[in-house]
Amino acid sequence: NDSDEFPHEIGLFLGYPPEDVDGFMTYGGEGCKCSGHWKVYGDVDQAQKLFAKYKKCSSVYARHWAMGKSIYIEETSVLT
C-alpha cells in the first residue's frame, strides 16, 4: 500500500455500499459489474439509483450556485 494512495475505506464514510468498497479493495478495480461514482461489485440496480440521486443533487446545487444562491441552509429558530 503506497503512502500516497487514498485509503479506499473512505468510501464507507461517503456512503458507498460496503460490498463495493470490499470488492474494490479485493480486486483493485478489476472485474466490477459496472462503474459510476465508484466501481460496483454488489447490487447494480441499487448503485445506479444512488448514482442518479448524486447526479440530481449535483445538478441542483450547481444550478443554485450559478444563480448566486447560497448552498448553505440558514438556521431558523424553532423556539416559540
Side-chain angles (χ1 to χ4, degrees):
N1 203 9
D2 295 333
S3 61
D4 292 338
E5 189 174 302
F6 197 74
H8 303 302
E9 295 87 346
I10 198 72
L12 297 172
F13 295 100
L14 296 173
Y16 299 176
E19 61 271 22
D20 295 338
V21 174
D22 182 58
F24 189 85
M25 292 172 65
T26 301
Y27 301 109
E30 298 296 323
C32 63
K33 296 176 181 178
C34 77
S35 62
H37 292 279
W38 63 87
K39 302 221 180 217
V40 179
Y41 293 88
D43 188 336
V44 172
D45 291 333
Q46 189 64 30
Q48 288 178 337
K49 288 176 185 174
L50 196 49
F51 295 161
K53 285 182 182 181
Y54 285 2
K55 183 177 181 179
K56 182 177 181 179
C57 183
S58 295
S59 175
V60 168
Y61 275 98
R63 188 172 61 248
H64 282 234
W65 181 263
M67 293 186 307
K69 293 184 179 180
S70 174
I71 61 171
Y72 298 102
I73 298 172
E74 294 182 28
E75 289 188 39
T76 57
S77 176
V78 292
L79 299 175
T80 56

